[in-house]
Amino acid sequence: MGQWAGYLQLILDGAVVTIKLTLMGSALALVMAFLAGLGRLSRFAPVRWLATAYIEFFRGTSIFVQLFWAYFVLPLFGFTLTPLQAGVLALGLNVGAYAAEVVRGAVKSIGKEQYEACTALNFNRWQGLRNVILPQAFVLMLPTFGNNAIELLKASAVVSLISLSDMTFQAQVVRAQTGSTLFPFLTILILYFAIACVISFAIRGLERHLTRGLDGIRS
């Protein structure tokens, strides 16, 4: 019994790494989503082209290849990353490309009257975006952002390929040492589901908090 408790602790240690990777990757994805999503709406063509190139490149190439580039190829150019840093970079940039389209779509969905209100208040483009448009658009983005975060959580399993000791990596270690397949993989199945439930609950709670008084905006 003590032996299995030790193996469970090993997987739980991997869960901490997975949670850390998910939080850091989601933070990077959120930053890239707003930069690229708003960049797609820029009045300046070079900014639009750059944002579009980023989105199309990271949506159109494999997360596996992106991860291997971050960990194995970047050191050839003088940028050496730890497995955690490489995982955060690859996952954040990949998911951020998908989330960027969520940002763009949500901003464009805000009604024309809201932009007219910005003009009436004598706001410039940035002031109107920051004070009127984005607070409403962010509410519309939240459900999909939650889905993106859960997708990032599930995709984080790929970092086991570069020997980062996340849940999946530790489950493989336990399987190799014990010969048991059921115990390690059932355990991480439950843990992935539990973490995803926490993300869903947190997003729904934040959405309820932010939509107070904005019922007319919700779709």
Side-chain angles (χ1 to χ4, degrees):
M1 192 63 163
Q3 181 186 26
W4 288 107
Y7 289 132
L8 176 60
Q9 184 60 51
L10 196 65
I11 294 175
L12 291 177
D13 291 341
V16 173
V17 175
T18 295
I19 292 170
K20 187 184 300 184
L21 184 62
T22 301
L23 291 175
M24 295 170 68
S26 295
L28 176 59
L30 190 64
V31 171
M32 296 306 300
F34 276 95
L35 288 177
L38 296 178
R40 287 286 308 274
L41 300 173
S42 174
R43 294 175 176 175
F44 302 102
V47 175
R48 293 198 304 272
W49 297 338
L50 184 62
T52 301
Y54 158 70
I55 292 170
E56 296 302 327
F57 178 80
F58 280 95
R59 289 196 311 179
T61 55
S62 167
I63 181 62
F64 292 96
V65 178
Q66 294 164 15
L67 179 65
F68 291 155
W69 259 83
Y71 190 63
F72 294 114
V73 180
L74 285 184
L76 301 178
F77 299 95
F79 300 98
T80 302
L81 303 177
T82 66
L84 179 62
Q85 291 169 337
V88 169
L89 182 65
L91 290 168
L93 292 178
N94 182 274
V95 174
Y98 290 92
E101 288 298 278
V102 177
V103 173
R104 184 182 68 87
V107 170
K108 291 192 70 173
S109 73
I110 300 300
K112 181 181 177 182
E113 68 279 359
Q114 299 299 320
Y115 292 92
E116 293 172 348
C118 294
T119 302
L121 292 170
N122 201 30
F123 284 165
N124 60 34
R125 183 178 172 83
W126 167 243
Q127 288 173 326
L129 192 65
R130 183 185 63 186
N131 296 308
V132 178
I133 305 303
L134 278 181
Q136 298 177 47
F138 186 69
V139 172
L140 304 178
M141 300 173 200
L142 270 179
T144 310
F145 278 171
N147 290 337
N148 291 148
I150 291 172
E151 286 299 324
L152 191 150
L153 165 69
K154 294 187 292 184
S156 68
V158 302
V159 300
S160 63
L161 297 174
I162 57 173
S163 300
L164 181 61
S165 55
D166 72 321
M167 282 197 294
T168 301
F169 182 86
Q170 300 289 37
Q172 292 170 342
V173 170
V174 172
R175 182 187 64 81
Q177 292 183 0
T178 65
S180 170
T181 301
L182 178 62
F183 170 75
F185 291 111
L186 177 61
T187 301
I188 66 169
L189 184 71
I190 294 170
L191 288 172
Y192 274 117
F193 179 68
I195 298 170
C197 287
V198 171
I199 293 173
S200 296
F201 179 80
I203 292 295
R204 285 197 296 268
L206 181 59
E207 186 181 5
R208 284 195 300 269
H209 174 73
L210 294 179
T211 52
R212 290 172 185 168
L214 291 177
D215 291 338
I217 304 301
R218 300 179 69 182
S219 57

